[in-house]
Amino acid sequence: MTVSELAEKIAGLMGRARTDLAELVAIPSVADPRQYPPEECRRAAQWVADAFTEAGLHDVHLAETPDGSHAVIGHRPPPPGAPTVLLYCHYDVQPPLDDDAWTTPPFALTERDGRWYGRGTADCKGNIVMHLTALRALGDDIPVGLKFVAEGSEEQGTGGLEGYVAQHPEQFLADALLVCDTGNAEVGTGTATITLRGLVNVVVTVGTLAGEIHSGMFGGPAPDALAALIQLLSTLRDPATGATRVEGLDCEGTWEGVGYDEERFRADAGVLDGVRLTGTGTVADRLWARPAVTVLGIDCPPVVGSAAAVPPTARARVSLRIPPGTAPAAARAALTRHLTGAAPWGVRVSVEDESAGAPFRAATDGPAYAALGRAVNEVYGKPLAFLGQGGSIPLCNVLAETYPRAEIVLMGVEEPKCLIHAPNESVDPAEIEHMAHVEALFLRAYAATGGRGR
């Protein structure tokens, strides 16, 4: 089958792809039993298992992982001498958040202005449909071995699949691992995500008094814990630019891949008119090459119900995203030293570790990336772009540690207009079509390389 014949076949499968995605989106597979019945995730998992069995995979089954979620696992043996490729996706989704903010129902696929709307259309059910479309287009002519896994609790971050991989490493052993939970820099630009930021979350508590005291009788000399916390947190940013400043961390890194236009970032992030972006350097530098601190929440007296009293304690949840090259332990130690060292007025400060995850950087000099570059150039007519991602995917580090010789490729149908995790999530169906074509061409091109071992 020629490149153009394969493209025609995939185009002819897009009606089925829409039906598939509509059926998947209609299942509210939020992996949080406090919000949605667990049976919905089980129903989505079974849908995925049935679809990939029909697409030619063997022994597709549901496997319970350590967090109680179910991963869908299957395989297809390689032809003699051919490499094996792992296809990853996840079927669980974020909750819809504010239903009133959705223009159309979140769990009903709706077409509007050429895009398909609904929770999970991009993240990550669109990538499930991309895999299915690529495999259906190739039919029995799949020139590599395949291993397949669809995760069931990725959005909850509870580590079910990570634990399962550690317990069953042989089930996922492959020469190349396609982690399809990211996407392109923009519609029409084939992109591989090659870095992920790690993170360190801490809770910082400030104490100043034995208890609340009347602000009229004691306010002034009595140290205000909330004011101390505000002053302490303010030291984490440059007062002029708002750039993250943590003593002991390099905050001046630069990004060498595809950039991120500032006006587009403002639109994508919904930055209000007149509000300046924080930091210096390019947007890409700030997103993917430098540490970034965010105050996620503060515990203090609320406005409604607050009394005329000096607050004796206050605390904040602080998140520090870290770029590749920065170890979580070093970042946590630097953040803790900074917070305790910047405490004003001799107030008592304690820092509690909450969570941490390592950053990730893919090696791009192997045969899988060369094959992907050829496939992207065939489909999009321009070279493969490299992108960073601000979020963390802990599974990537587990895969890298478990299979050090395998190439890890992060790709998919998502792009900035998708608004993943937000109301009115959508996908451009052309990206499903084109990335399915890329995946099919990649599998053929990678087979010709023979892989590079495991």
Side-chain angles (χ1 to χ4, degrees), residues 25-356:
V25 168
I27 305 173
S29 49
V30 177
D32 184 350
R34 299 169 300 179
Q35 301 184 66
Y36 288 86
E39 293 78 14
E40 297 294 353
C41 282
R42 182 69 180 241
R43 188 156 67 99
Q46 192 59 56
W47 190 101
V48 171
D50 293 343
F52 280 88
T53 298
E54 184 273 336
L57 297 189
H58 301 180
D59 188 30
V60 185
H61 63 282
L62 276 58
E64 186 171 349
T65 72
D67 69 356
S69 67
H70 288 88
V72 184
I73 298 172
H75 73 280
R76 182 184 176 101
T84 294
V85 176
L86 173 73
L87 305 179
Y88 166 91
C89 51
H90 66 85
Y91 63 81
D92 69 305
V93 297
Q94 284 282 332
L97 302 177
D98 183 3
D99 283 353
D100 292 337
W102 284 79
T103 304
T104 52
F107 295 114
L109 185 72
T110 307
E111 187 167 353
R112 189 169 71 251
D113 300 324
R115 296 181 70 90
W116 295 345
Y117 285 80
R119 176 57 86 219
T121 49
D123 182 22
C124 175
K125 292 174 177 178
N127 288 311
I128 294 174
V129 172
M130 177 195 74
H131 284 320
L132 282 171
T133 304
L135 296 182
R136 286 169 178 159
L138 291 172
D140 290 330
D141 188 23
I142 298 177
V144 298
L146 292 176
K147 293 188 177 180
F148 171 78
V149 59
E151 187 173 3
S153 59
E154 192 274 342
E155 299 292 5
Q156 295 302 309
T158 46
L161 185 58
E162 291 98 297
Y164 189 87
V165 170
Q167 294 170 356
H168 308 276
E170 72 288 347
Q171 293 188 16
F172 307 99
L173 182 63
D175 301 278
L177 315 176
L178 297 192
V179 178
C180 293
D181 189 21
T182 61
N184 293 336
E186 59 185 353
V187 172
T189 299
T191 307
T193 297
I194 60 171
T195 68
L196 300 169
R197 289 195 291 194
L199 87 156
V200 170
N201 282 0
V202 301
V203 174
V204 55
T205 302
V206 170
T208 59
L209 302 166
E212 290 185 347
I213 52 176
H214 195 284
S215 61
M217 295 178 64
F218 298 100
D224 175 339
L226 180 53
L229 177 65
I230 292 169
Q231 184 160 324
L232 172 61
L233 296 175
S234 72
T235 67
L236 294 170
R237 289 186 176 270
D238 182 277
T241 67
T244 294
R245 293 287 180 265
V246 177
E247 293 181 15
L249 292 185
D250 178 10
C251 298
E252 302 297 333
T254 56
W255 174 253
E256 301 299 330
V258 66
Y260 200 154
D261 176 75
E262 183 168 325
E263 289 307 310
R264 199 182 86 205
F265 175 83
R266 291 183 66 91
D268 292 342
V271 180
L272 300 179
D273 290 343
V275 177
R276 297 190 302 274
L277 301 187
T278 52
T280 59
T282 69
V283 170
D285 291 341
R286 286 173 265 178
L287 275 178
W288 306 319
R290 299 177 182 178
V293 71
T294 303
V295 179
L296 299 178
I298 293 179
D299 285 341
C300 62
V303 171
V304 177
S306 57
V310 180
T313 62
R315 65 177 189 162
R317 186 177 182 222
V318 179
S319 177
L320 179 66
R321 297 283 178 168
I322 53 176
T326 302
R332 182 172 55 232
L335 180 60
T336 299
R337 285 195 303 270
H338 182 112
L339 290 169
T340 54
W345 323 322
V347 302
R348 296 181 182 180
V349 175
S350 63
V351 180
E352 175 189 352
D353 296 338
E354 185 182 68
S355 59

